[in-house]
Amino acid sequence: MADGARSLRGGGGGGSPASSPVLGGRSRAAAGGSSPPGHAFRRVTLTKPTFCHYCTDFIWGLAGYQCEVCNFMSHEKCLKNVKIPCSCIAPSLVRVPVAHCFGPPGHYKRKFCTVCRKSLESLAFRCEVCELHVHTDCILFACSDCRQCHQDGHLDHDTYHHHWREGNLSSSARCEFCKKTCGSSEVLSGMRCEWCGILAHAACYVIVTPECTFGRLRNMILPPNCVQLFSRNFSKLHCFRISENLQTETDEDDDIDGSTQGSAKDIQISTDSSKQTLKIFDGNDAVKRNQFRLISVPRIAKNEEVVEAALRAYYINDDQQEYELQTFTQQVLLSDDVINRNDAAEDSNLGSVFRESVPEAWIIRAKPKDEEVIRIYPAWLKVGMAYVSLRVNKDSTVQTVMKEVLPLLGRQMECLQNFKLVEVLMGSKQVQRMVLDNQELILNRLKDIRKTSIRQMNQTRFYIVENSKSIVQVNLFVGGLPPQLSPEEYTNILKEELAIKTNVVSVSHVYQAQGAVVLQISCFSEAERIYMLVKDTVVNDKPLYAVVIPTVMASKIPQNSCPLLVFVNPKSGGLKGRDLLYSFRKLLNPHQVFELTNGGPLPGFHTFSKVPSFRVLVCGGDGTVGWVLGALEEIRHKLVCSEPSVAILPLGTGNDLGRVLRWGAGYSGEDPYSILVSVDEADDVLMDRWTILLDAEEPAEGAENGIVEPEPPKIVQMNNYCGLGIDAELSLDFHHAREEEPGKFNSRFHNKGVYVKVGLQKISHTRNLHKDIKLQVDQHEVELPSIEGLIFINIPSWGSGADLWGSESDNRFEKPRIDDGLLEVVGVTGVVHMGQVQGGFRSGIRIAQGSYFRVTLLKPIPVQVDGEPWIQAPGQIIISAAGPKVHMLKKSKQKQKKTGSLKEVKVDKTNCHIFEEMSATLE
């Protein structure tokens, strides 16, 4: 018989006490009132300073109330107000099961574990997509409650609710509703929506309207319902294109995720003769993996008390009378056939827990039941917390369960064959789905799950799902192929190198100039095989690479939305790029954040190729910006939005383009949220780009026997400046020093110090550059003065912010602009002159201004374009405009609002223009 249907509502953060399961056999502290959701509070004596997890205030006196399961601490007066659910019932409150994306373990200061609520003093995991932090031995107990960032064919919907995550907020965080402080550096407290960023107290967030509008950044976020990704066989790191070696801080064993570390963090081997420490396994799987928890109990404890302590160690809130402990001897644990031996002895009679010879390990077993109540979740409602409770017995099969459930859901007129029952294991790292056979006995299935793992039973759900023809489409971006081939030739290479099956694999897009293709695969196993094989494949001495990319459904993007495509170079800016990758994935949809060391800019542009309007943010140095702009120029004709505006977050050493566009001299830890707001408010400006044709007339130096043809003409793109002579020579020396010891070049300060050092070494050097080159500007010969360096500048910033052209008016030339279609030509007389320009004491020697330049090199000369140096053989260099101007984003001059200020600041308006001029000069 069915007990009836009920629906739990909320944002996935908390249930009411009435809907929470009862903790059998556990002490209760809330006298005369209902118990907080799932907690088992007991009065404890405090031996060190302790703070309340509800109000964050200090608990005065020697007594407080602590949950025996999740360690939630509370004042007695706060007990009746606690709304945060216990970790033991967290799986029952998940709306849509989504696995977390954990990278390698690391050290995270001033953070708290979401499961046990204790500080992360040792190695811990963090999710790369949401704000979840867990100890290595708590990760097994974290449920799959990550953000849903894309549709994958399971519980897809277009309306999104707030995705609440508790704690790890700044101590200055303020509640959106009562305006009081809701963050704490002492305990896990406060709530934050991981989509819109709204902050609230635990008492305030329950009154928030469930629907989330994505907050201030709504126009920049790629809505999850617009992204489709079928990823059954791929890890979350692969789905979000996250390099697994980016944040590795230690070489730990594969079993670091909760094996014998068990509870060494919580319980030390007891030296108290009145207590005893026991190993507890929760099922056959734990025995096989040797993953146990340690509990410390009094030697005089009763069987029921030990069972209760064992259940608490595994965050189980069931009645302890439904479970029992079975013994394991050391010999059994060392046996190769642990599970079989255990099964054979499973029905043996159990004696007292404590005998003269106490076993080293115990295993929790569920007592057999003749009937029980299970929950069936209807998948088509797309609300994970709505379920039907159904009583099943030993004769109940999957088919009979579905037959009883459908009428309760108003589907009694439909054919039973149109539905299936799916078992879903909501693990922290992976959500596993298995379709149950119609004739399988439900109670037997439950028994098997509990025998495998009591913990897994707590994380398992049963969904009734409509049968539908599933469409599998995995998109793999494969790069590193030879350029300029036909689709048929690329297909033949893939057949030969990867043995692709053409009946399930097709080439959907070809990027001939870049040597890349996009494969559309209709089989999960084939997609996984190709992905893994590509990593070890080399074609023409060049390794291939593969990137899993999602499909963006442009028709679903809101009309006024302009999603932001983010490119980050994690090697730039003293490795600050790694932190920015993490922050931007949290603030935006991680599918719109691309790591440039993992395939370059092309996978990102391909993903956004159908988006009608989008902007680009490039986080890196000037070289990185040039890389992205060059890729944009090559692929522009394949984009629906052919002219996206580009913003810069400067991470390099010089960052001259970032300075000109007001993004600053370099990133120094500013709030990533504020940066995104500034990008949203930035002004659209145009900028010239230039093409440089390098045509060497003689073989390059180092040719063997001199029998080598001259280098073929080469074309490079220029955004900032091009230097010949001493300027390029210093860049080349710096480049060589960085190649020799790349590990030392991880800070902007050190990099500039090396520039100074190589400059001092050249201070007595003389190079009569004017005798080694000839210059022609707009078809007119230009006589060069006595100089050591010749520089073509497109922007009014050179060498980390110096004004090489100068601000003096000159009737011979127009005032330079970045969109005037002209380049300025400036000369420097040597290192001393360059130093004076850097210090602002002098400017360069103005030589010419024009739109077409021809430079004749009479001997090999150092050349650098946007910081990339090399030795150029004698020949011709031709500089001309490169097609259409590029759209850039210039940081708005509007005065930023000080949201954190509590005082009103008065400003003398007569001095405002002076302040603005000074700010512009400094930037």
Side-chain angles (χ1 to χ4, degrees), residues 134-305:
V134 289
H135 290 106
T136 55
D137 56 306
C138 290
I139 192 170
L140 293 175
F141 305 99
C143 57
S144 50
D145 61 345
C146 192
R147 285 194 298 166
Q148 186 181 19
C149 300
H150 59 263
Q151 295 191 347
D152 60 357
H154 303 286
L155 300 177
D156 297 332
H157 51 87
D158 294 334
T159 301
Y160 278 79
H161 291 73
H162 290 293
H163 191 276
W164 296 106
R165 180 72 62 199
E166 183 188 12
N168 292 319
L169 306 180
S170 166
S171 56
S172 60
R174 293 190 173 274
C175 178
E176 187 75 16
F177 303 95
C178 66
K179 307 304 179 185
K180 296 180 181 179
T181 302
C182 61
S184 172
S185 60
E186 303 293 340
V187 294
L188 191 73
S189 69
M191 306 296 291
R192 176 182 178 272
C193 173
E194 293 183 311
W195 280 115
C196 67
I198 189 174
L199 304 174
H201 286 102
C204 298
Y205 90 103
V206 293
I207 63 174
V208 181
T209 305
E211 288 75 16
C212 180
T213 59
F214 300 115
R216 170 65 180 82
L217 304 178
R218 69 177 66 89
N219 292 331
M220 308 176 74
I221 292 178
L222 189 62
N225 65 311
C226 303
V227 185
Q228 190 176 63
L229 178 63
F230 298 98
S231 57
R232 188 180 69 183
N233 287 28
F234 292 98
S235 75
K236 301 287 282 189
L237 292 174
H238 296 157
C239 293
F240 295 116
R241 306 164 304 280
I242 299 173
S243 295
E244 299 180 41
N245 59 347
L246 262 190
Q247 47 168 277
T248 303
E249 298 183 25
T250 180
D251 294 324
E252 296 290 328
D253 294 334
D254 293 338
D255 290 335
I256 194 169
D257 56 346
S259 59
T260 55
Q261 288 87 348
S263 53
K265 166 177 64 70
D266 298 328
I267 298 180
Q268 304 297 326
I269 300 299
S270 178
T271 57
D272 186 352
S273 60
S274 65
K275 290 191 174 183
Q276 180 156 327
T277 302
L278 302 175
K279 288 182 181 179
I280 303 295
F281 296 91
D282 78 321
N284 294 347
D285 186 65
V287 173
K288 183 178 179 181
R289 298 173 184 270
N290 196 27
Q291 294 177 339
F292 57 84
R293 306 283 286 177
L294 296 177
I295 63 171
S296 180
V297 293
R299 291 183 179 275
I300 59 173
K302 298 179 182 179
N303 288 7
E304 294 79 7
E305 295 172 344

Side-chain angles (χ1 to χ4, degrees), residues 657-664 683 890-893 920 923:
L657 185 55
R659 296 169 192 263
V660 170
L661 298 176
R662 297 203 196 105
W663 295 108
D683 302 319
K890 192 173 186 178
K891 191 174 183 180
S892 175
K893 249 185 174 181
E923 291 179 351

Side-chain angles (χ1 to χ4, degrees), residues 33 45 187 216 240 256 355 433 476 491 513 522 538 737 864 884 908:
T45 301
V187 294
R216 170 65 180 82
F240 295 116
I256 194 169
R355 298 181 296 237
R433 295 176 172 87
L476 275 187
T491 302
S522 58
V538 177
Q864 67 101 354
D908 185 356

